[in-house]
Amino acid sequence: MKQCEYGECEETELYPLITSTEDGGTKRYMLCQEHHQKAKEYLNKRPENIRSRMAGLFGEKFADATFDNFVTDPKKLKKLAKYHGGSFSDQQLRSIKEAKEDVSAFVDQSVSDPSGTILLFGREGLGKTHLAAASVRRMIESGSNAAVWYSTRLLAQIRDTYSQSPSKKSETVKSIIETMTSRDVLVLEDIRESCFSTDIKDYIFDIVNSVYREEGMLIMTSNFTVQELRAEDRLGPHLVDRIIDPPSCVKHIKGSFSYRAAKKAYKKQSNQS
């Protein structure tokens, strides 16, 4: 009877594991449950696999996002701002630096036990998604798994249930929420105006509450401030209080213009030089 292919292990209840080879092919191993799990954990931590997972979650744009390559240097930021006809105040520069430092420290405290909430807010293009992606990368490197849901995707899936019968709709929404919250880390990207209808708010509360009960980690981004989100015609105080309930890291990234747009303008100018 075939035995586990790991060392001298003699277990005979085996599970297949398929890995990529250097020449672009694949190789199949038959391993016992213990060594199968250890091999998966090892493979998941390989840099090329982490990058692939990041690209799947955030797209190629943020596949290499880390805390180290998040720009906080005042000279670089001011130089970028110049090419977009904007500027950063000292307060805005401090908010960017503090956001990076505080989020990084919060994630470091959570790697062994993913829990709590990171809420990043501020105008578009200031690095909220970069910091969210950097946080997820660090959690993945420590062995956690993650799911990323953009608000547009969530809204589309929920709206697809509107034509279903009440019982079918309930089952579908329950399945969506279970899928979203089955990971160690859940990212809800870009909480926007379209999320503020009563039924959508109820679903977001169910999602947040599920993560809260399971003591998982929730990362959220929004262009709205906490005070704006607390308004009754937006998420409301009850839901926002649940989101930022400790342990949490709530950071306002301040800027009078889009860092992302400035970076594009800088690259365009450099290419023309």
Side-chain angles (χ1 to χ4, degrees):
M1 184 176 291
K2 190 174 179 62
Q3 296 180 342
C4 175
E5 295 182 50
Y6 184 87
E8 299 179 359
C9 180
E10 298 180 355
E11 288 290 331
T12 56
E13 186 175 347
L14 307 177
Y15 302 84
L17 180 71
I18 300 175
T19 64
S20 301
T21 58
E22 292 184 359
D23 60 3
T26 59
K27 187 169 183 178
R28 187 171 182 265
Y29 296 91
M30 297 301 295
L31 303 170
C32 68
Q33 185 174 18
E34 178 185 354
H35 291 125
H36 186 277
Q37 182 62 32
K38 287 182 177 179
K40 280 182 64 178
E41 291 174 357
Y42 168 76
L43 291 171
N44 284 338
K45 292 181 180 180
R46 288 170 62 175
E48 63 271 26
N49 290 339
I50 289 175
R51 190 188 187 285
S52 176
R53 291 168 69 187
M54 289 296 295
L57 292 169
F58 288 94
E60 280 295 324
K61 183 174 182 179
F62 295 102
D64 298 307
T66 66
F67 289 111
D68 288 339
N69 60 28
F70 183 78
V71 179
T72 60
D73 182 84
K75 290 182 179 179
K76 288 183 179 180
L77 289 171
K78 287 180 178 179
K79 186 176 181 180
L80 285 171
K82 183 181 69 173
Y83 283 91
H84 194 60
S87 63
F88 280 113
S89 69
D90 289 341
Q91 183 187 33
Q92 291 166 345
L93 290 169
R94 281 196 301 273
S95 78
I96 294 171
K97 185 173 185 291
E98 288 173 4
K100 171 187 173 179
E101 293 174 347
D102 292 353
V103 173
S104 178
F106 186 85
V107 173
D108 282 345
Q109 293 172 0
S110 306
V111 290
S112 60
D113 182 24
S115 61
T117 301
I118 297 172
L119 174 59
L120 303 170
F121 60 96
R123 65 166 295 164
E124 181 183 1
L126 287 172
K128 299 185 298 294
T129 300
H130 186 125
L131 287 178
S135 301
V136 168
R137 171 181 284 275
R138 190 166 289 177
M139 298 304 294
I140 287 176
E141 288 172 344
S142 71
S144 297
N145 51 50
V148 178
W149 281 68
Y150 289 83
S151 63
T152 48
R153 178 188 174 196
L154 174 61
L155 292 170
Q157 291 213 12
I158 289 176
R159 284 168 179 161
D160 283 345
T161 68
Y162 288 172
S163 60
Q164 298 176 355
S165 66
S167 59
K168 177 64 175 174
K169 178 179 179 180
S170 177
E171 289 178 10
T172 304
V173 171
K174 182 180 178 182
S175 177
I176 293 171
I177 293 174
E178 287 177 349
T179 299
M180 293 178 69
T181 58
S182 62
R183 301 292 189 268
D184 300 318
V185 183
L186 171 64
V187 181
L188 278 179
E189 261 278 286
D190 191 22
I191 300 301
R192 54 175 65 191
E193 197 78 45
S194 51
C195 298
F196 301 148
S197 63
T198 301
D199 58 335
I200 301 299
K201 282 197 292 186
D202 288 343
Y203 293 136
I204 292 176
F205 181 84
D206 289 342
I207 293 163
V208 170
N209 207 39
S210 180
V211 175
Y212 181 85
R213 289 198 310 269
E214 297 298 324
E215 297 184 339
M217 174 176 273
L218 175 66
I219 302 174
M220 296 181 70
T221 69
S222 178
N223 293 349
F224 292 96
T225 67
V226 171
Q227 284 304 112
E228 289 169 340
L229 290 173
R230 285 179 62 86
E232 290 289 356
D233 60 346
R234 292 197 172 103
L235 292 184
H238 183 49
L239 176 50
V240 172
D241 286 347
R242 175 52 57 94
I243 291 170
I244 64 176
D245 191 55
S248 62
C249 179
V250 181
K251 302 307 297 183
H252 184 183
I253 305 176
K254 300 174 183 178
S256 56
F257 73 102
S258 169
Y259 162 72
R260 181 169 64 226
K263 196 172 181 180
K264 286 182 180 178
Y266 174 74
K267 285 184 178 179
K268 183 177 180 180
Q269 181 74 18
S270 299
N271 291 336
Q272 292 173 348
S273 300

